[in-house]
Each structure stands twice: as C-alpha cells, then as structure tokens.
Amino acid sequence: MTADGPQQAGSADEALPVVPVAPVLVRDYRRLVRLFPYSYRREYEAEMLGHLLDGARPEQSRPSGAERRDLVLAAVREWLLAPLGSTARERRAATGLLFVLLPAVLVVPAARSVAYASWLVGSEVGPPVLSSVPMLATWVVWSAGAVALLAGLARTGRLLIAAAGAVGTVMLAVLVATGDERTAYFESGWVIGLAAHALVVLEHGRCRLSGPGRRHVVGTLGIMVAVFGTYVAAVRGVREGASWWAPAGSQLVPVGAAVVPIVAALGVMLLWARTRQGAPVLLGVVVGIALGRSDLFWSGNRNVGTEDLGNVLALLACALAATIAARWCVNRLDELAEARAAHRERLGVPT
C-alpha cells in the first residue's frame, strides 16, 4: 500500500482538468489594461494581466461589472497621478520635493489675499470684500491646511488642502458662470497650483505612512520665508509707496520675461534624478501662473484687457501640455539612465 500511495496521488494530479481561459476574456482584460498610462503599463501590464487571469472563475468569458469598475477607477487615479511618475520610487521623489516647493509658491497669493481682505474690512470706503477678493475663502482654508501640516497634524492638513483645491476649482467655475472671466483668467494659474498641492499632499501621505519629517518642515518654512521676502522686496522696489498686498490691477508682464528663469530652473532640476521627478508638476503650475499675467491669448479684434472662456481654457490647456511634455522628457531620461546602468552592470563597471 505504501508503494501504491504515491502512484495514486500522481494519478490524481494527472487527472486534474486544465481549465482553458476564454480568448475573449483575455482580449477584454487587455482592453481594460490599455486604459492605464503607457509608463504604468510598461511596468505592471504583465503582472496585472496575470492577477486578473488567475482570479478568473472557471468558464468566465467576460470581465465582471465589479472588475470593470475597479479597473476604470484605478486607471483614472493613475492618470491623475501620472505627472508624479508611474512607480512608487518616482512618486516618493516627486512628492518629497513638491511638498516643500509648492507651499513656497502658494504662500504669496494666500498672504496677499488675506492681507488685502483685512485692509478692506478696516477701511470705511473700500469695496466689498467678497467681490474684491473672490478667492479669499479658498486661501483661508489652504492657509489653515498648510499650518496644520507644518504643526504635525498630517490628516487634518491633507483634508484642508484637498478642500481648498476643491473650493478653488468651484470658485473658478463660478467666476466663469457669472461672467467674470477676467478674474478667472488671472486666478487660473493659482487654482492649478492648489489642485497640484492637494494631489501632492494626498500622495505624500500614501507614499509615506508617517507625517512630514522635521527636514520637510524646516525646508518648507525656510523656502516659504525666502520666497515671500523676495516678493515683498520686489513689489516695494517696483511700486514705490504701494503696499505689498495691494492688487496689481491690470498690469501684465510679457511672456518672454518668465521664459528664461523657467527654462533655467527646469534644466537644473532635470540634471538630478531625484529632483527631475517633480519638474512636470512644477512646470505646469509655473506656466499657468505666468500665462495668467500675460497677454498671450488676447485676440486682436478684442479690446485689450478683455478675457473670455476661450482664454481660460487655453491657459489650462497650455499648463497641461507643459506638464505632459515635461513628464515625457523625464520618462525618457529615466529610461536612458536605466539603460546606461544595465550596460555598465554587464561590463562589470561599478556604479
């Protein structure tokens, strides 16, 4: 009996039926996986298809409704996070850098809006606060979230900053709907920054299970103070006798004035693998802010100083295009670095 035992077990294993996978199921899974960004598919497509096929029920010929929904929602999430990279390593590097840099950019409009609103409240002849500072509630919520993050209240800070991004988006739509496209045009760049910061802090919390470390807090505060101080000094130098928080009115700047520093900063960031991951998002934000202070989209048959919905959409499209182009460049640089590292490894050259 002992000799027959293994033989019987082997016969039982050989008798197990092989369940074929329906070709139409493989085709439908491949179509759903193609909804994901290319860079993400390049890393995980084979693994995703393997998990989906291993979890398929016997004689299943179509993806279930739950599978379709989950894959579509996951694809939407990956497209939203695509500017930060396709892998966990890339997203940690991007969020770590942008967690410090984006608040330094957004502190200027936040402080200016709150200070100007405070002056209007104390002024007896000033215009109404809500009409003069339509984004005031957005910046108040964002400021509270930034303070909470720096104070170590990570969850509260993330919720407040995400709420600020949502409120800013809604306010932008309200400005367009009420016919105030001019203000919407000026504020579009800042709303892009708010949305990017909300995305960064949420992904920062997911990539790092703990809250921001001391290094991030000190770095964020230092850069915020430096940028804000530079802005105040520049305003006082340009506008003699005017307060730093006073609105600039209709004064715009040529696009070319911002091209050189943007290109120079982007070039420096692309040189280092850790900083280049944050370049796409930062470039999109800066392009949106710069175009919001330019006359690039003004039509020749319209009065100077008049904006419409087309101007706002063009600004948003240019910021998105800049982000996509920069992400493509970063991906190609990463591929080149990986190819060089693999080649050096084959040659036995230490890295």
Side-chain angles (χ1 to χ4, degrees):
M1 293 180 63
T2 56
D4 293 338
Q7 185 176 359
Q8 291 176 357
S11 301
D13 292 339
E14 294 174 0
L16 289 175
V18 178
V19 180
V21 178
V24 67
L25 179 63
V26 179
R27 182 201 65 188
D28 288 348
Y29 278 148
R30 287 187 182 277
R31 287 178 176 175
L32 289 170
V33 171
R34 288 195 190 102
L35 297 176
F36 288 77
Y38 168 75
S39 58
Y40 186 86
R41 286 189 282 116
R42 188 187 61 195
E43 296 283 340
Y44 304 112
E45 182 174 8
E47 182 180 351
M48 292 174 64
L49 286 174
H51 283 305
L52 290 170
L53 294 175
D54 288 342
R57 301 185 306 273
E59 301 182 357
Q60 181 180 352
S61 60
R62 295 285 184 178
S64 65
E67 288 176 328
R68 292 179 185 274
R69 181 182 64 254
D70 292 341
L71 287 172
V72 170
L73 291 177
V76 171
R77 178 182 178 278
E78 290 302 323
W79 276 108
L80 290 174
L81 294 174
L84 298 175
S86 58
T87 65
R89 178 184 59 82
E90 293 173 350
R91 290 174 182 175
R92 279 195 297 270
T95 56
L97 178 67
L98 296 172
F99 188 90
V100 175
L101 293 183
L102 284 180
V105 175
L106 298 175
V107 70
V108 172
R112 189 180 62 202
S113 298
V114 173
Y116 184 49
S118 301
W119 178 82
L120 290 176
V121 170
S123 176
E124 299 180 356
V125 296
V129 175
L130 293 180
S131 60
S132 301
V133 195
M135 301 289 288
L136 177 61
T138 303
W139 292 119
V140 169
V141 175
W142 179 85
S143 300
V147 171
L149 275 181
L150 295 176
L153 304 175
R155 180 175 299 181
T156 302
R158 294 187 195 113
L159 290 176
L160 288 173
I161 289 176
V167 172
T169 304
V170 171
M171 283 303 305
L172 194 67
V174 170
L175 289 171
V176 173
T178 55
D180 194 2
E181 290 91 350
R182 179 175 177 78
T183 302
Y185 181 76
F186 287 143
E187 299 293 345
S188 294
W190 300 120
V191 173
I192 294 173
L194 285 168
H197 193 209
L199 183 68
V200 165
V201 297
L202 292 175
E203 185 62 13
H204 185 275
R206 197 186 71 85
C207 293
R208 298 169 172 80
L209 298 180
S210 60
R214 183 183 301 273
R215 183 179 61 180
H216 284 90
V217 172
V218 174
T220 302
L221 282 174
I223 296 179
M224 288 174 70
V225 171
V227 171
F228 182 70
T230 302
Y231 170 78
V232 173
V235 170
R236 288 179 176 176
V238 173
R239 291 188 256 162
E240 298 180 0
S243 302
W244 62 267
W245 39 257
S250 59
Q251 296 178 358
L252 301 177
V253 296
V255 178
V259 169
V260 174
I262 290 174
V263 173
L266 178 63
V268 172
M269 292 182 67
L270 292 177
L271 292 177
W272 193 21
R274 295 186 62 181
T275 58
R276 76 165 64 116
Q277 302 303 329
V281 172
L282 191 62
L283 179 65
V285 172
V286 173
V287 166
I289 295 171
L291 291 179
R293 293 298 181 268
S294 73
D295 58 354
L296 180 65
F297 300 121
W298 284 358
S299 175
N301 59 0
R302 300 290 297 272
N303 294 329
V304 174
T306 302
E307 292 80 23
D308 55 21
L309 179 59
N311 300 138
V312 177
L313 295 178
L315 185 151
L316 298 176
C318 284
L320 179 60
T323 302
I324 294 173
R327 187 71 248 177
W328 184 88
C329 293
V330 169
N331 290 341
R332 301 295 79 77
L333 289 172
D334 288 342
E335 291 176 6
L336 180 61
E338 292 173 2
R340 286 179 175 175
H343 181 65
R344 293 173 67 90
E345 184 178 356
R346 285 196 297 268
L347 295 177
V349 180
T351 56

